[in-house]
Amino acid sequence: MERNKTIAELKNEELEKFFKLVELLKQEFEKQMKTQFDRSLPFPELLFDRWERARKLGFGDGASVYDSCCIFGRVKVGKNTWVGPYTILDGSGGLEIGSNCSISAGVQIYSHDSVEWAISGGSIPYEYASTRIGNNCYLGPNTIIAKGVEIGEGSVIGANSFVNKSFPAKSKLAGSPAKLIV
Amino acid sequence: MERNKTIAELKNEELEKFFKLVELLKQEFEKQMKTQFDRSLPFPELLFDRWERARKLGFGDGASVYDSCCIFGRVKVGKNTWVGPYTILDGSGGLEIGSNCSISAGVQIYSHDSVEWAISGGSIPYEYASTRIGNNCYLGPNTIIAKGVEIGEGSVIGANSFVNKSFPAKSKLAGSPAKLIV
Amino acid sequence: MERNKTIAELKNEELEKFFKLVELLKQEFEKQMKTQFDRSLPFPELLFDRWERARKLGFGDGASVYDSCCIFGRVKVGKNTWVGPYTILDGSGGLEIGSNCSISAGVQIYSHDSVEWAISGGSIPYEYASTRIGNNCYLGPNTIIAKGVEIGEGSVIGANSFVNKSFPAKSKLAGSPAKLIV
């Protein structure tokens, strides 16, 4: 069943004109994105620049972060690190990410959790612990990093992993909970 | 390679002015969000309030739900429950969620599935069964709950779990498919 | 703690009026979406039509794709295939998806990876290999498909799977890495 959305249904001339400008803006930026990057992206990503957002947040030179990344508290990120769409960088308990990292789409890195808050019916506060990802790390899609974890530089974490303890440099990890793989 | 987006390329004065207002709106709400919550959020989350959306949907007092949550059909949610970004609440077959729950980022709770639809080449319709999450439950990031599942109150479900059967109150679950852990 | 956002704080009449039109547009499309589909969707999904996006991208008749899907490079998609929210279709190394597939929310299908790029500190380029999903496949929520994988038609892949090798027609898969299940 296809959608039946029509501007005419808005029955408000000012609103119709407003929506036509929204559509025109999307078309123009879609064309630019197709030409420069050969991509078709969600509307908010068309509107705003990934590198500009990273600069405003004080990330290192050449870093970029999609509009759809949710950033809590203070997060320090090094140079050239790529932060993908639908990610969470939670610095509410402290978070530092090194340079040249791939933070793949859907990755969530935490420095707090709400487990005790939920099962106590809201009477126990959130818990916090600082988290750190070294330089040159690859975090595969949908990887979750729990609060308080430290990942040493040059580590590779497979897709869909849940990392709930720290690992030294050059670790290759996968699984939930994540373990070293050969 | 950095993006080459320029307002000047729009070559349309009205559209340029429109986009400048979009950018100004983002800046203003970014400042407010930084000051009040110390957060940097996706553009749609800056525009709309999480508590207001929950109220309009008839959720319990103090509940909140991110703009990026997709809600299908009728979903009943209790008091103070937190529904994070990039979540799916599918009530097409009936869905009830209790009070004081943490529905973490990326959680998807279903009351239908399209497995038989897909492998039959579209000739078998979707299947439905109602789903229920009790009070005071913690659902970890990226957890998937299949249609027809009931989770008893005070349960904790680890990150990246796939829950395809029901569990009683105070269960601690993890894995795909999810199993009881000590 | 509830959010304290007020239009009055914008202190700019033109911007206040602009934001009121944003809110009105949301309300109108919310009403239409509720009436026609009984859904409450993220703001960008209210603005743009899923079937229209699929048509513009050259997907097959009846296919649809959410605004929040990120599409890289050239991606070929067959008839009636449903592509859900928060998905990644990466055709940078070539991607073909058949007809009547369910590409569930959070699915990410790749034809490149940045593992060697990251651990080499950015000195080794991305790697590419083409990926193919046959007709009538069900890809469960949050499934990740690695570059170079071929999935035969009529296959079912369970939620939260990570598929890093090819499988023939009518495979039933689950796990990270995904394996055949009975």
Side-chain angles (χ1 to χ4, degrees), chain A residues 13-29:
Chain A
E13 252 184 54
E14 199 180 10
L15 197 57
E16 281 183 37
K17 192 182 160 191
F18 186 85
F19 184 56
K20 277 179 185 161
L21 284 167
V22 170
E23 293 189 304
L24 190 55
L25 195 64
K26 182 172 194 275
Q27 281 169 32
E28 289 299 319
F29 283 148

Side-chain angles (χ1 to χ4, degrees), chain A residues 46-47 49 53 68 73 114, chain B residues 3 5 14 38 40 86 102:
Chain A
L46 294 173
L47 293 177
D49 189 76
R53 187 179 183 203
S68 59
S114 59
Chain B
R3 190 170 164 193
K5 175 170 63 94
E14 198 180 11
D38 193 18
S40 169
Y86 311 123
S102 263

Side-chain angles (χ1 to χ4, degrees), chain B residues 1-27:
Chain B
M1 182 172 60
E2 196 147 342
R3 190 170 164 193
N4 202 13
K5 175 170 63 94
T6 63
I7 296 177
E9 287 178 42
L10 295 176
K11 282 169 191 143
N12 175 328
E13 253 184 55
E14 198 180 11
L15 197 56
E16 280 184 37
K17 192 182 159 193
F18 186 85
F19 184 56
K20 277 179 187 163
L21 284 166
V22 170
E23 292 188 304
L24 190 55
L25 194 64
K26 182 172 194 275
Q27 281 169 31

Side-chain angles (χ1 to χ4, degrees), chain C residues 56-127:
Chain C
K56 282 184 182 170
L57 289 163
F59 292 8
D61 288 351
S64 66
V65 53
Y66 275 72
D67 181 74
S68 58
C69 177
C70 296
I71 300 170
F72 304 92
R74 185 158 300 271
V75 176
K76 193 176 167 189
V77 174
K79 293 182 187 177
N80 299 315
T81 283
W82 183 91
V83 181
Y86 311 124
T87 47
I88 310 280
L89 302 182
D90 164 28
S92 61
L95 173 59
E96 197 170 326
I97 297 171
S99 294
N100 301 304
C101 290
S102 264
I103 308 298
S104 301
V107 166
Q108 301 179 30
I109 308 178
Y110 287 97
S111 57
H112 91 282
D113 79 45
S114 58
V115 175
E116 296 299 325
W117 174 88
I119 62 178
S120 71
S123 65
I124 295 178
Y126 291 179
E127 293 177 2

Side-chain angles (χ1 to χ4, degrees), chain A residues 37 39 45 48-69 71 77-85 87 89 97-104, chain B residues 1-3, chain C residues 72 117 126:
Chain A
F37 288 101
R39 292 182 181 182
E45 307 297 349
F48 309 112
D49 189 76
R50 296 187 280 136
W51 291 271
E52 190 182 325
R53 187 179 183 203
R55 267 194 302 272
K56 282 185 182 171
L57 289 163
F59 292 7
D61 287 352
S64 66
V65 53
Y66 275 73
D67 181 74
S68 59
C69 177
I71 300 170
V77 175
K79 293 182 187 177
N80 297 317
T81 283
W82 182 93
V83 181
T87 47
L89 302 183
I97 297 170
S99 294
N100 300 306
C101 291
S102 262
I103 309 298
S104 301
Chain B
M1 182 172 60
E2 196 147 342
R3 190 170 164 193
Chain C
F72 304 92
W117 174 88
Y126 291 179

Side-chain angles (χ1 to χ4, degrees), chain B residues 1 11 16 31 46 49 66 84 91 93-94 113 119-121 131 154 178 182:
Chain B
M1 182 172 60
K11 282 169 191 143
E16 280 184 37
K31 270 190 267 175
L46 295 173
D49 190 75
Y66 275 72
D113 78 46
I119 62 177
S120 71
T131 300
V182 187

Side-chain angles (χ1 to χ4, degrees), chain A residues 68-69 82-88 103-110 139-145 160-161, chain B residues 86 105-106 141-142 160, chain C residues 86 88 106 108 110 142 144:
Chain A
S68 59
C69 177
W82 182 93
V83 181
Y86 312 123
T87 47
I88 311 278
I103 309 298
S104 301
V107 166
Q108 302 179 30
I109 308 178
Y110 288 97
L139 276 62
N142 286 346
T143 287
I144 312 293
I145 309 284
N160 279 350
S161 300
Chain B
Y86 311 123
N142 285 347
N160 278 351
Chain C
Y86 311 124
I88 310 280
Q108 301 179 30
Y110 287 97
N142 286 347
I144 312 292

